Amino acid sequence: MSAEFIEKSVWRKLTKAAKSCRGPANVAVAYFSKGASKILPLPANSQLVVDASERAVRSGLTCPNDLLLLLKRGCRIYSLSNLHSKVYVFGTRAYIGSANASQSSATRLVEAMVATTDRQAVASAKEFVRSLCKDPLSPEILSRLQ
C-alpha cells in the first residue's frame, strides 16, 4: 500500500494514469470542459460521472462535445447536478483531490490530490463512483445540450 501527496504536475500524472489504464476507469469529476477528453483519455467501458446540467453546460464548465467523444470511444457517461467531487480510479490506484477536468485546471490553477493504492480506499472510491451512475447521457441528450 502506498499513498502520495501530489502538488505538482497533477494533470501530467492523471493523463498518464488514464493512458496506461488496462481496464475501465471510474471517475466522478464535477466539470469536464472543452479539451478535457484530451487530458483525460478514458479507456473504453469506463464510467464517468459529471455535472452536465444545463447550468454547467451554459456556463462552459462542461462540454457536451468532449463528452460525445468519450461516448464514441465506448465510455458510459452519467450526469449528476450539483456534483462537486473529483475522484479518479484507474486500476489499483485512486486519485482524490481538487482537479476538475479542464484546461484551466491543467494549465493555470493550483491543484493538489492524494494518490493511493490502499485496497480498501480504492474499492471505496470505485464504489462511490458507481453509486452515482444513475442518469445516463445518450448521444441524443448530449446533442441537445450542445
Side-chain angles (χ1 to χ4, degrees):
M1 190 251 340
S2 71
E4 173 189 12
F5 179 74
I6 303 167
E7 61 178 309
K8 294 182 180 158
S9 304
V10 166
W11 274 103
R12 184 174 53 83
K13 291 189 183 219
L14 285 173
T15 302
K16 182 178 178 182
K19 285 181 177 179
S20 63
C21 187
R22 296 289 170 237
N26 293 274
V27 175
V29 59
Y31 304 125
F32 201 87
S33 67
K34 185 176 181 179
S37 62
K38 287 188 173 95
I39 64 170
L40 193 65
L42 296 175
N45 297 315
S46 293
Q47 296 184 107
L48 172 65
V49 184
V50 299
D51 180 348
S53 64
E54 288 188 24
R55 177 198 54 79
V57 170
R58 254 189 261 118
S59 62
L61 295 169
T62 295
C63 178
N65 289 339
D66 276 76
L67 294 174
L68 271 169
L69 289 172
L70 288 183
L71 201 64
K72 288 176 184 175
R73 289 184 203 158
C75 294
R76 293 181 304 260
I77 303 172
Y78 303 85
S79 181
L80 180 62
S81 296
N82 299 317
L83 180 68
H84 197 257
S85 66
K86 287 86 175 169
V87 176
Y88 303 82
V89 181
F90 302 106
T92 60
R93 184 175 295 264
Y95 298 82
I96 301 162
S98 63
N100 279 307
S102 69
Q103 289 299 323
S104 60
S105 174
T107 60
R108 289 187 304 111
L109 299 174
V110 177
E111 303 286 11
M113 57 182 24
V114 172
T116 184
T117 58
D118 178 83
R119 287 182 186 180
Q120 186 174 354
V122 172
S124 294
K126 188 183 290 187
E127 182 53 38
F128 170 74
V129 173
R130 289 179 175 173
S131 75
L132 304 177
C133 296
K134 296 179 180 161
D135 189 13
L137 293 174
S138 65
E140 295 77 24
I141 291 171
L142 289 170
S143 293
R144 182 183 58 78
L145 286 170
Q146 288 176 313

